[in-house]
Amino acid sequence: MRFARPARYHEGKQEVSRVQQSKRILTCAALALAAMTGATAQTPQSHHSARWAIVLHGGAGVIERATMNPKTEAAYRTSLAQAARAGAQVLERGGSSLDAVEAAIQILEDDPLFNAGRGAVFAADGRNELDASIMDGATLKAGAVAGVTRTRHPISLARAVMEKSPHVFLVGSGADEFSVHAGLEQVDPSFFFTERRWQSLVKQLKREGLPIPPRPVGAPPPPVVPVAEIEPPNAHRFGTVGVVALDRKSNIAAGTSTGGTTAKRWGRVGDSPVIGAGTYASNQSCAVSATGTGEYFIRLTVAREVCALVQYKGLSLQQAADQVIHKELDAIHGDGGVIAIAPDGQMAWSFNTPGMYRARQTEGGKLEIGIYNDEP
Ligand code: ASP
């Protein structure tokens, strides 16, 4: 089922131990058994000869064929393909999984379709407050930011926290300040503005009976005719982006970037920048990026939970992802999904919502893109 390559915790140093090897054999047996009994909710894929691989998500939620307009659907598929290609190019030329994660997320952050960077949802006070995190499976180093307002690519700021500061997690004005210090591209907050997300905010605030803040300074004037709702009215939340990747050196990494939830208040931060909840990576187990209602993902430490099931229970990656999403998350009535990758080339995605924007590719393989839950 898996292609045999030693997973290395510290690149080039620590060969896979005997215990790990026998664990892996057991896992293969478990996988084979699962395949025979059809035990998992979404079928595990085998990728014998994959050397590098990448999996992406663009958020999960009420994404249904019946309410999706074909033009919008095509736009999402094109964007996911572009981001996957950007990551794949890095991996193809021998770049690191961290570089691939950052490159693919930067594309999605610039794309107004997604709730990250430009196109992020608005907080109740009318600002875009951006959260992101990244983790390196080879070293267990991690970086995260929350509530940042001026960095074009929050994922790069998370990486700068990891690589250029002694810390893991920076928030608010301090994180904005560090971004300048780290030499990252700064933009006016109006750079992140999109009419569609502004209208979603106005609608949500009206629904909650909350005051509507003034239109942000620097935003274009309101359109004469209202913008067409690109998404169905009940789907105001999704669009967080995440990427997990495996490079030619068998190192894995994960990253996630989001604007959080529409009309969030009081400095609310979701799971996306929380290491262990929205993002986790360890060469000992797997790399995961999550999307969904962050409060549930924080409480379950979803990303780390998936990896713990792989590491300590010997579950296949797909079994672990399904266990967390379809059992543990369901049990507390949470909604959302995960993408995951392991050093041996296993890839998985699992979600309990009607859809999740997603894509994956392995070296020499075909790019697979999915939106709805009836796709593979
Ligand atoms: N997980 C994100 C948050 O709670 C939102 C999402 O993934 O849609 O901030």
Side-chain angles (χ1 to χ4, degrees), residues 195-244:
E195 192 60 41
R196 167 172 78 112
R197 297 296 192 190
W198 182 255
Q199 290 191 9
S200 299
L201 172 70
V202 171
K203 233 194 250 172
Q204 183 66 22
L205 291 174
K206 279 186 185 156
R207 218 175 287 151
E208 292 181 36
L210 291 169
I212 298 180
R215 215 175 152 81
V217 178
V224 188
V225 271
V227 287
E229 272 284 352
I230 196 157
E231 277 150 5
N234 55 352
H236 61 92
R237 188 178 49 73
F238 54 76
T240 292
V241 305
V243 179
V244 293

mmCIF file of all heavy atoms in Angstrom, residues 195-244:
data_model
loop_
_atom_site.group_PDB
_atom_site.id
_atom_site.type_symbol
_atom_site.label_atom_id
_atom_site.label_comp_id
_atom_site.label_asym_id
_atom_site.label_seq_id
_atom_site.Cartn_x
_atom_site.Cartn_y
_atom_site.Cartn_z
ATOM 1 N N GLU A 195 -16.138 43.334 -2.144
ATOM 2 C CA GLU A 195 -17.534 43.729 -1.979
ATOM 3 C C GLU A 195 -18.383 42.568 -1.444
ATOM 4 O O GLU A 195 -19.247 42.729 -0.587
ATOM 5 C CB GLU A 195 -18.082 44.212 -3.334
ATOM 6 C CG GLU A 195 -19.416 44.912 -3.242
ATOM 7 C CD GLU A 195 -19.368 46.174 -2.359
ATOM 8 O OE1 GLU A 195 -18.390 46.941 -2.443
ATOM 9 O OE2 GLU A 195 -20.318 46.370 -1.582
ATOM 10 N N ARG A 196 -18.088 41.392 -1.980
ATOM 11 C CA ARG A 196 -18.865 40.208 -1.602
ATOM 12 C C ARG A 196 -18.777 39.947 -0.100
ATOM 13 O O ARG A 196 -19.773 39.697 0.579
ATOM 14 C CB ARG A 196 -18.305 39.027 -2.383
ATOM 15 C CG ARG A 196 -18.748 37.687 -1.935
ATOM 16 C CD ARG A 196 -18.289 36.631 -2.907
ATOM 17 N NE ARG A 196 -16.900 36.288 -2.759
ATOM 18 C CZ ARG A 196 -16.468 35.106 -2.321
ATOM 19 N NH1 ARG A 196 -17.337 34.172 -1.982
ATOM 20 N NH2 ARG A 196 -15.190 34.842 -2.224
ATOM 21 N N ARG A 197 -17.566 40.012 0.448
ATOM 22 C CA ARG A 197 -17.393 39.745 1.885
ATOM 23 C C ARG A 197 -17.979 40.888 2.709
ATOM 24 O O ARG A 197 -18.465 40.663 3.818
ATOM 25 C CB ARG A 197 -15.915 39.574 2.224
ATOM 26 C CG ARG A 197 -15.243 38.397 1.547
ATOM 27 C CD ARG A 197 -15.809 37.048 1.963
ATOM 28 N NE ARG A 197 -14.947 35.964 1.501
ATOM 29 C CZ ARG A 197 -15.266 34.697 1.536
ATOM 30 N NH1 ARG A 197 -16.453 34.313 1.982
ATOM 31 N NH2 ARG A 197 -14.429 33.783 1.104
ATOM 32 N N TRP A 198 -17.919 42.115 2.167
ATOM 33 C CA TRP A 198 -18.501 43.236 2.901
ATOM 34 C C TRP A 198 -20.011 43.053 3.015
ATOM 35 O O TRP A 198 -20.606 43.219 4.073
ATOM 36 C CB TRP A 198 -18.147 44.567 2.205
ATOM 37 C CG TRP A 198 -18.691 45.741 2.974
ATOM 38 C CD1 TRP A 198 -19.763 46.502 2.656
ATOM 39 C CD2 TRP A 198 -18.190 46.233 4.217
ATOM 40 N NE1 TRP A 198 -19.983 47.449 3.619
ATOM 41 C CE2 TRP A 198 -19.029 47.308 4.591
ATOM 42 C CE3 TRP A 198 -17.126 45.864 5.055
ATOM 43 C CZ2 TRP A 198 -18.829 48.025 5.764
ATOM 44 C CZ3 TRP A 198 -16.928 46.591 6.231
ATOM 45 C CH2 TRP A 198 -17.783 47.653 6.569
ATOM 46 N N GLN A 199 -20.611 42.654 1.913
ATOM 47 C CA GLN A 199 -22.063 42.438 1.940
ATOM 48 C C GLN A 199 -22.444 41.286 2.866
ATOM 49 O O GLN A 199 -23.477 41.327 3.530
ATOM 50 C CB GLN A 199 -22.585 42.243 0.524
ATOM 51 C CG GLN A 199 -22.500 43.550 -0.256
ATOM 52 C CD GLN A 199 -23.233 43.514 -1.583
ATOM 53 O OE1 GLN A 199 -23.957 42.574 -1.879
ATOM 54 N NE2 GLN A 199 -23.038 44.542 -2.395
ATOM 55 N N SER A 200 -21.602 40.266 2.913
ATOM 56 C CA SER A 200 -21.875 39.160 3.861
ATOM 57 C C SER A 200 -21.840 39.677 5.285
ATOM 58 O O SER A 200 -22.637 39.257 6.135
ATOM 59 C CB SER A 200 -20.821 38.061 3.758
ATOM 60 O OG SER A 200 -20.804 37.508 2.494
ATOM 61 N N LEU A 201 -20.887 40.588 5.564
ATOM 62 C CA LEU A 201 -20.790 41.147 6.915
ATOM 63 C C LEU A 201 -22.053 41.926 7.255
ATOM 64 O O LEU A 201 -22.650 41.732 8.321
ATOM 65 C CB LEU A 201 -19.567 42.070 7.032
ATOM 66 C CG LEU A 201 -19.503 42.841 8.359
ATOM 67 C CD1 LEU A 201 -19.194 41.900 9.520
ATOM 68 C CD2 LEU A 201 -18.487 43.973 8.313
ATOM 69 N N VAL A 202 -22.458 42.799 6.328
ATOM 70 C CA VAL A 202 -23.636 43.639 6.570
ATOM 71 C C VAL A 202 -24.845 42.745 6.864
ATOM 72 O O VAL A 202 -25.593 42.961 7.827
ATOM 73 C CB VAL A 202 -23.881 44.572 5.357
ATOM 74 C CG1 VAL A 202 -25.219 45.287 5.479
ATOM 75 C CG2 VAL A 202 -22.730 45.575 5.228
ATOM 76 N N LYS A 203 -24.999 41.697 6.047
ATOM 77 C CA LYS A 203 -26.130 40.777 6.215
ATOM 78 C C LYS A 203 -26.090 40.092 7.590
ATOM 79 O O LYS A 203 -27.095 39.997 8.296
ATOM 80 C CB LYS A 203 -26.030 39.693 5.127
ATOM 81 C CG LYS A 203 -27.313 39.556 4.323
ATOM 82 C CD LYS A 203 -27.273 38.293 3.547
ATOM 83 C CE LYS A 203 -27.119 38.572 2.073
ATOM 84 N NZ LYS A 203 -26.898 37.368 1.286
ATOM 85 N N GLN A 204 -24.889 39.634 7.946
ATOM 86 C CA GLN A 204 -24.729 38.916 9.210
ATOM 87 C C GLN A 204 -24.996 39.830 10.410
ATOM 88 O O GLN A 204 -25.663 39.433 11.371
ATOM 89 C CB GLN A 204 -23.308 38.320 9.277
ATOM 90 C CG GLN A 204 -23.026 37.496 10.509
ATOM 91 C CD GLN A 204 -23.865 36.220 10.575
ATOM 92 O OE1 GLN A 204 -24.359 35.722 9.553
ATOM 93 N NE2 GLN A 204 -24.056 35.701 11.778
ATOM 94 N N LEU A 205 -24.507 41.062 10.322
ATOM 95 C CA LEU A 205 -24.710 42.005 11.435
ATOM 96 C C LEU A 205 -26.193 42.342 11.591
ATOM 97 O O LEU A 205 -26.707 42.446 12.708
ATOM 98 C CB LEU A 205 -23.874 43.276 11.221
ATOM 99 C CG LEU A 205 -22.349 43.091 11.331
ATOM 100 C CD1 LEU A 205 -21.613 44.369 10.952
ATOM 101 C CD2 LEU A 205 -21.946 42.650 12.742
ATOM 102 N N LYS A 206 -26.872 42.489 10.438
ATOM 103 C CA LYS A 206 -28.322 42.771 10.489
ATOM 104 C C LYS A 206 -29.036 41.609 11.165
ATOM 105 O O LYS A 206 -29.903 41.794 12.020
ATOM 106 C CB LYS A 206 -28.869 42.968 9.071
ATOM 107 C CG LYS A 206 -28.605 44.372 8.537
ATOM 108 C CD LYS A 206 -29.304 44.563 7.194
ATOM 109 C CE LYS A 206 -28.962 45.917 6.592
ATOM 110 N NZ LYS A 206 -29.118 45.923 5.122
ATOM 111 N N ARG A 207 -28.643 40.394 10.760
ATOM 112 C CA ARG A 207 -29.257 39.191 11.327
ATOM 113 C C ARG A 207 -29.079 39.164 12.848
ATOM 114 O O ARG A 207 -29.950 38.756 13.590
ATOM 115 C CB ARG A 207 -28.564 37.967 10.700
ATOM 116 C CG ARG A 207 -29.492 36.806 10.409
ATOM 117 C CD ARG A 207 -28.746 35.696 9.674
ATOM 118 N NE ARG A 207 -28.452 36.041 8.287
ATOM 119 C CZ ARG A 207 -27.398 35.584 7.598
ATOM 120 N NH1 ARG A 207 -26.517 34.804 8.152
ATOM 121 N NH2 ARG A 207 -27.234 35.925 6.336
ATOM 122 N N GLU A 208 -27.899 39.591 13.294
ATOM 123 C CA GLU A 208 -27.604 39.552 14.740
ATOM 124 C C GLU A 208 -28.036 40.825 15.456
ATOM 125 O O GLU A 208 -27.835 40.953 16.668
ATOM 126 C CB GLU A 208 -26.094 39.339 14.963
ATOM 127 C CG GLU A 208 -25.604 37.968 14.526
ATOM 128 C CD GLU A 208 -24.106 37.764 14.789
ATOM 129 O OE1 GLU A 208 -23.599 38.258 15.808
ATOM 130 O OE2 GLU A 208 -23.458 37.112 13.961
ATOM 131 N N GLY A 209 -28.608 41.786 14.714
ATOM 132 C CA GLY A 209 -29.055 43.039 15.313
ATOM 133 C C GLY A 209 -27.903 43.899 15.816
ATOM 134 O O GLY A 209 -28.041 44.638 16.806
ATOM 135 N N LEU A 210 -26.741 43.790 15.176
ATOM 136 C CA LEU A 210 -25.560 44.554 15.604
ATOM 137 C C LEU A 210 -25.356 45.768 14.695
ATOM 138 O O LEU A 210 -25.780 45.754 13.537
ATOM 139 C CB LEU A 210 -24.323 43.649 15.549
ATOM 140 C CG LEU A 210 -24.287 42.524 16.586
ATOM 141 C CD1 LEU A 210 -23.177 41.540 16.284
ATOM 142 C CD2 LEU A 210 -24.135 43.099 17.994
ATOM 143 N N PRO A 211 -24.670 46.802 15.214
ATOM 144 C CA PRO A 211 -24.453 47.997 14.391
ATOM 145 C C PRO A 211 -23.535 47.717 13.198
ATOM 146 O O PRO A 211 -22.637 46.881 13.287
ATOM 147 C CB PRO A 211 -23.776 48.977 15.360
ATOM 148 C CG PRO A 211 -23.249 48.143 16.475
ATOM 149 C CD PRO A 211 -24.119 46.922 16.561
ATOM 150 N N ILE A 212 -23.799 48.437 12.115
ATOM 151 C CA ILE A 212 -22.978 48.245 10.909
ATOM 152 C C ILE A 212 -21.882 49.320 10.875
ATOM 153 O O ILE A 212 -22.182 50.507 10.929
ATOM 154 C CB ILE A 212 -23.875 48.307 9.661
ATOM 155 C CG1 ILE A 212 -24.861 47.157 9.794
ATOM 156 C CG2 ILE A 212 -23.048 48.238 8.375
ATOM 157 C CD1 ILE A 212 -25.839 46.954 8.765
ATOM 158 N N PRO A 213 -20.622 48.884 10.860
ATOM 159 C CA PRO A 213 -19.527 49.865 10.897
ATOM 160 C C PRO A 213 -19.440 50.627 9.577
ATOM 161 O O PRO A 213 -19.978 50.177 8.557
ATOM 162 C CB PRO A 213 -18.281 48.989 11.078
ATOM 163 C CG PRO A 213 -18.659 47.664 10.522
ATOM 164 C CD PRO A 213 -20.138 47.501 10.721
ATOM 165 N N PRO A 214 -18.775 51.783 9.577
ATOM 166 C CA PRO A 214 -18.617 52.513 8.320
ATOM 167 C C PRO A 214 -17.811 51.684 7.316
ATOM 168 O O PRO A 214 -16.970 50.870 7.718
ATOM 169 C CB PRO A 214 -17.846 53.773 8.725
ATOM 170 C CG PRO A 214 -17.341 53.540 10.107
ATOM 171 C CD PRO A 214 -18.142 52.439 10.717
ATOM 172 N N ARG A 215 -18.101 51.910 6.053
ATOM 173 C CA ARG A 215 -17.332 51.244 4.996
ATOM 174 C C ARG A 215 -15.845 51.586 5.172
ATOM 175 O O ARG A 215 -15.502 52.748 5.431
ATOM 176 C CB ARG A 215 -17.831 51.803 3.663
ATOM 177 C CG ARG A 215 -17.848 50.832 2.536
ATOM 178 C CD ARG A 215 -18.481 51.485 1.328
ATOM 179 N NE ARG A 215 -17.947 50.876 0.127
ATOM 180 C CZ ARG A 215 -18.380 49.727 -0.373
ATOM 181 N NH1 ARG A 215 -19.381 49.085 0.207
ATOM 182 N NH2 ARG A 215 -17.831 49.230 -1.457
ATOM 183 N N PRO A 216 -14.941 50.576 5.053
ATOM 184 C CA PRO A 216 -13.530 50.848 5.337
ATOM 185 C C PRO A 216 -12.951 51.950 4.446
ATOM 186 O O PRO A 216 -13.308 52.048 3.268
ATOM 187 C CB PRO A 216 -12.852 49.513 5.022
ATOM 188 C CG PRO A 216 -13.917 48.496 5.054
ATOM 189 C CD PRO A 216 -15.185 49.176 4.700
ATOM 190 N N VAL A 217 -12.073 52.752 5.036
ATOM 191 C CA VAL A 217 -11.371 53.793 4.278
ATOM 192 C C VAL A 217 -10.550 53.108 3.186
ATOM 193 O O VAL A 217 -9.885 52.115 3.441
ATOM 194 C CB VAL A 217 -10.417 54.579 5.225
ATOM 195 C CG1 VAL A 217 -9.634 55.637 4.458
ATOM 196 C CG2 VAL A 217 -11.197 55.181 6.380
ATOM 197 N N GLY A 218 -10.631 53.648 1.971
ATOM 198 C CA GLY A 218 -9.826 53.084 0.878
ATOM 199 C C GLY A 218 -10.572 52.030 0.075
ATOM 200 O O GLY A 218 -10.103 51.594 -0.974
ATOM 201 N N ALA A 219 -11.749 51.601 0.592
ATOM 202 C CA ALA A 219 -12.536 50.621 -0.169
ATOM 203 C C ALA A 219 -13.178 51.329 -1.354
ATOM 204 O O ALA A 219 -13.480 52.520 -1.271
ATOM 205 C CB ALA A 219 -13.615 50.020 0.720
ATOM 206 N N PRO A 220 -13.392 50.626 -2.458
ATOM 207 C CA PRO A 220 -14.067 51.252 -3.592
ATOM 208 C C PRO A 220 -15.488 51.681 -3.209
ATOM 209 O O PRO A 220 -16.060 51.118 -2.270
ATOM 210 C CB PRO A 220 -14.098 50.151 -4.655
ATOM 211 C CG PRO A 220 -13.819 48.884 -3.929
ATOM 212 C CD PRO A 220 -13.062 49.223 -2.691
ATOM 213 N N PRO A 221 -16.059 52.671 -3.897
ATOM 214 C CA PRO A 221 -17.421 53.086 -3.568
ATOM 215 C C PRO A 221 -18.401 51.931 -3.754
ATOM 216 O O PRO A 221 -18.141 51.035 -4.563
ATOM 217 C CB PRO A 221 -17.709 54.217 -4.565
ATOM 218 C CG PRO A 221 -16.652 54.115 -5.611
ATOM 219 C CD PRO A 221 -15.490 53.375 -5.042
ATOM 220 N N PRO A 222 -19.511 51.949 -3.001
ATOM 221 C CA PRO A 222 -20.465 50.833 -3.127
ATOM 222 C C PRO A 222 -20.998 50.729 -4.552
ATOM 223 O O PRO A 222 -21.198 51.746 -5.205
ATOM 224 C CB PRO A 222 -21.590 51.218 -2.163
ATOM 225 C CG PRO A 222 -21.205 52.482 -1.515
ATOM 226 C CD PRO A 222 -19.933 52.982 -2.078
ATOM 227 N N PRO A 223 -21.196 49.521 -5.039
ATOM 228 C CA PRO A 223 -21.703 49.359 -6.406
ATOM 229 C C PRO A 223 -23.134 49.867 -6.517
ATOM 230 O O PRO A 223 -23.884 49.826 -5.539
ATOM 231 C CB PRO A 223 -21.644 47.852 -6.624
ATOM 232 C CG PRO A 223 -21.640 47.262 -5.266
ATOM 233 C CD PRO A 223 -21.041 48.257 -4.335
ATOM 234 N N VAL A 224 -23.490 50.350 -7.702
ATOM 235 C CA VAL A 224 -24.846 50.865 -7.911
ATOM 236 C C VAL A 224 -25.843 49.697 -7.860
ATOM 237 O O VAL A 224 -26.854 49.755 -7.178
ATOM 238 C CB VAL A 224 -24.934 51.612 -9.266
ATOM 239 C CG1 VAL A 224 -26.282 52.320 -9.392
ATOM 240 C CG2 VAL A 224 -23.790 52.597 -9.396
ATOM 241 N N VAL A 225 -25.472 48.635 -8.574
ATOM 242 C CA VAL A 225 -26.302 47.422 -8.466
ATOM 243 C C VAL A 225 -25.575 46.463 -7.527
ATOM 244 O O VAL A 225 -24.357 46.321 -7.629
ATOM 245 C CB VAL A 225 -26.487 46.718 -9.837
ATOM 246 C CG1 VAL A 225 -27.686 47.244 -10.577
ATOM 247 C CG2 VAL A 225 -25.235 46.803 -10.681
ATOM 248 N N PRO A 226 -26.281 45.828 -6.603
ATOM 249 C CA PRO A 226 -25.602 44.941 -5.660
ATOM 250 C C PRO A 226 -24.848 43.826 -6.393
ATOM 251 O O PRO A 226 -25.332 43.350 -7.435
ATOM 252 C CB PRO A 226 -26.744 44.365 -4.830
ATOM 253 C CG PRO A 226 -27.983 45.055 -5.246
ATOM 254 C CD PRO A 226 -27.716 45.839 -6.476
ATOM 255 N N VAL A 227 -23.661 43.444 -5.873
ATOM 256 C CA VAL A 227 -22.918 42.347 -6.523
ATOM 257 C C VAL A 227 -23.715 41.059 -6.411
ATOM 258 O O VAL A 227 -24.387 40.823 -5.406
ATOM 259 C CB VAL A 227 -21.534 42.088 -5.881
ATOM 260 C CG1 VAL A 227 -20.539 43.158 -6.225
ATOM 261 C CG2 VAL A 227 -21.626 41.862 -4.399
ATOM 262 N N ALA A 228 -23.621 40.250 -7.440
ATOM 263 C CA ALA A 228 -24.314 38.959 -7.394
ATOM 264 C C ALA A 228 -23.658 38.137 -6.303
ATOM 265 O O ALA A 228 -22.445 38.129 -6.160
ATOM 266 C CB ALA A 228 -24.165 38.265 -8.730
ATOM 267 N N GLU A 229 -24.467 37.479 -5.502
ATOM 268 C CA GLU A 229 -23.920 36.582 -4.475
ATOM 269 C C GLU A 229 -23.211 35.446 -5.203
ATOM 270 O O GLU A 229 -23.833 34.680 -5.933
ATOM 271 C CB GLU A 229 -25.054 36.015 -3.607
ATOM 272 C CG GLU A 229 -25.394 36.888 -2.438
ATOM 273 C CD GLU A 229 -24.380 36.802 -1.289
ATOM 274 O OE1 GLU A 229 -23.480 35.943 -1.328
ATOM 275 O OE2 GLU A 229 -24.500 37.615 -0.365
ATOM 276 N N ILE A 230 -21.904 35.370 -5.011
ATOM 277 C CA ILE A 230 -21.158 34.327 -5.707
ATOM 278 C C ILE A 230 -21.414 32.966 -5.058
ATOM 279 O O ILE A 230 -21.271 31.924 -5.661
ATOM 280 C CB ILE A 230 -19.665 34.682 -5.768
ATOM 281 C CG1 ILE A 230 -18.929 33.839 -6.795
ATOM 282 C CG2 ILE A 230 -19.007 34.586 -4.408
ATOM 283 C CD1 ILE A 230 -17.660 34.434 -7.310
ATOM 284 N N GLU A 231 -21.810 33.017 -3.798
ATOM 285 C CA GLU A 231 -22.077 31.772 -3.094
ATOM 286 C C GLU A 231 -23.503 31.761 -2.571
ATOM 287 O O GLU A 231 -24.101 32.814 -2.373
ATOM 288 C CB GLU A 231 -21.118 31.639 -1.913
ATOM 289 C CG GLU A 231 -19.786 31.094 -2.331
ATOM 290 C CD GLU A 231 -18.662 31.618 -1.454
ATOM 291 O OE1 GLU A 231 -18.935 32.319 -0.477
ATOM 292 O OE2 GLU A 231 -17.535 31.320 -1.795
ATOM 293 N N PRO A 232 -24.030 30.573 -2.310
ATOM 294 C CA PRO A 232 -25.378 30.497 -1.773
ATOM 295 C C PRO A 232 -25.469 31.236 -0.436
ATOM 296 O O PRO A 232 -24.479 31.316 0.302
ATOM 297 C CB PRO A 232 -25.622 29.007 -1.597
ATOM 298 C CG PRO A 232 -24.322 28.343 -1.820
ATOM 299 C CD PRO A 232 -23.449 29.275 -2.554
ATOM 300 N N PRO A 233 -26.639 31.772 -0.111
ATOM 301 C CA PRO A 233 -26.788 32.618 1.066
ATOM 302 C C PRO A 233 -26.422 31.950 2.387
ATOM 303 O O PRO A 233 -26.013 32.607 3.319
ATOM 304 C CB PRO A 233 -28.277 33.001 1.045
ATOM 305 C CG PRO A 233 -28.917 32.118 0.038
ATOM 306 C CD PRO A 233 -27.861 31.621 -0.869
ATOM 307 N N ASN A 234 -26.550 30.629 2.449
ATOM 308 C CA ASN A 234 -26.267 29.964 3.729
ATOM 309 C C ASN A 234 -24.792 29.592 3.870
ATOM 310 O O ASN A 234 -24.407 28.943 4.816
ATOM 311 C CB ASN A 234 -27.131 28.714 3.889
ATOM 312 C CG ASN A 234 -26.960 27.765 2.732
ATOM 313 O OD1 ASN A 234 -26.308 28.109 1.739
ATOM 314 N ND2 ASN A 234 -27.531 26.583 2.836
ATOM 315 N N ALA A 235 -23.985 29.973 2.889
ATOM 316 C CA ALA A 235 -22.593 29.526 2.898
ATOM 317 C C ALA A 235 -21.658 30.703 3.111
ATOM 318 O O ALA A 235 -20.824 31.005 2.305
ATOM 319 C CB ALA A 235 -22.274 28.829 1.592
ATOM 320 N N HIS A 236 -21.818 31.362 4.236
ATOM 321 C CA HIS A 236 -21.069 32.596 4.421
ATOM 322 C C HIS A 236 -19.703 32.403 5.036
ATOM 323 O O HIS A 236 -18.948 33.328 5.186
ATOM 324 C CB HIS A 236 -21.882 33.568 5.279
ATOM 325 C CG HIS A 236 -22.179 33.018 6.634
ATOM 326 N ND1 HIS A 236 -21.354 33.245 7.696
ATOM 327 C CD2 HIS A 236 -23.180 32.221 7.073
ATOM 328 C CE1 HIS A 236 -21.846 32.612 8.748
ATOM 329 N NE2 HIS A 236 -22.941 31.991 8.405
ATOM 330 N N ARG A 237 -19.388 31.215 5.450
ATOM 331 C CA ARG A 237 -18.218 31.081 6.302
ATOM 332 C C ARG A 237 -16.969 30.488 5.643
ATOM 333 O O ARG A 237 -15.862 30.794 6.006
ATOM 334 C CB ARG A 237 -18.586 30.243 7.528
ATOM 335 C CG ARG A 237 -17.505 30.192 8.561
ATOM 336 C CD ARG A 237 -17.926 29.406 9.766
ATOM 337 N NE ARG A 237 -18.507 28.117 9.415
ATOM 338 C CZ ARG A 237 -17.818 27.094 8.976
ATOM 339 N NH1 ARG A 237 -16.524 27.169 8.830
ATOM 340 N NH2 ARG A 237 -18.423 25.954 8.675
ATOM 341 N N PHE A 238 -17.152 29.580 4.677
ATOM 342 C CA PHE A 238 -15.982 28.802 4.253
ATOM 343 C C PHE A 238 -15.019 29.608 3.378
ATOM 344 O O PHE A 238 -15.315 30.712 2.946
ATOM 345 C CB PHE A 238 -16.412 27.521 3.553
ATOM 346 C CG PHE A 238 -17.343 27.744 2.409
ATOM 347 C CD1 PHE A 238 -16.861 28.215 1.215
ATOM 348 C CD2 PHE A 238 -18.703 27.498 2.536
ATOM 349 C CE1 PHE A 238 -17.706 28.431 0.151
ATOM 350 C CE2 PHE A 238 -19.558 27.715 1.482
ATOM 351 C CZ PHE A 238 -19.063 28.183 0.291
ATOM 352 N N GLY A 239 -13.884 29.005 3.119
ATOM 353 C CA GLY A 239 -12.908 29.682 2.266
ATOM 354 C C GLY A 239 -11.518 29.758 2.868
ATOM 355 O O GLY A 239 -10.575 30.223 2.227
ATOM 356 N N THR A 240 -11.381 29.282 4.108
ATOM 357 C CA THR A 240 -10.045 29.140 4.705
ATOM 358 C C THR A 240 -9.199 28.276 3.782
ATOM 359 O O THR A 240 -9.717 27.377 3.138
ATOM 360 C CB THR A 240 -10.195 28.453 6.086
ATOM 361 O OG1 THR A 240 -10.854 29.360 6.947
ATOM 362 C CG2 THR A 240 -8.858 28.046 6.682
ATOM 363 N N VAL A 241 -7.893 28.534 3.734
ATOM 364 C CA VAL A 241 -7.053 27.725 2.852
ATOM 365 C C VAL A 241 -5.986 26.986 3.653
ATOM 366 O O VAL A 241 -5.546 27.466 4.699
ATOM 367 C CB VAL A 241 -6.392 28.584 1.751
ATOM 368 C CG1 VAL A 241 -7.443 29.350 0.973
ATOM 369 C CG2 VAL A 241 -5.338 29.535 2.310
ATOM 370 N N GLY A 242 -5.601 25.827 3.143
ATOM 371 C CA GLY A 242 -4.565 25.050 3.828
ATOM 372 C C GLY A 242 -3.847 24.153 2.848
ATOM 373 O O GLY A 242 -4.424 23.740 1.827
ATOM 374 N N VAL A 243 -2.592 23.873 3.137
ATOM 375 C CA VAL A 243 -1.786 23.019 2.254
ATOM 376 C C VAL A 243 -0.913 22.114 3.118
ATOM 377 O O VAL A 243 -0.359 22.560 4.131
ATOM 378 C CB VAL A 243 -0.881 23.878 1.326
ATOM 379 C CG1 VAL A 243 -0.029 22.980 0.433
ATOM 380 C CG2 VAL A 243 -1.719 24.825 0.469
ATOM 381 N N VAL A 244 -0.796 20.855 2.707
ATOM 382 C CA VAL A 244 0.198 19.953 3.301
ATOM 383 C C VAL A 244 1.041 19.396 2.159
ATOM 384 O O VAL A 244 0.524 19.181 1.060
ATOM 385 C CB VAL A 244 -0.459 18.794 4.101
ATOM 386 C CG1 VAL A 244 -1.163 19.329 5.343
ATOM 387 C CG2 VAL A 244 -1.447 17.995 3.245
#
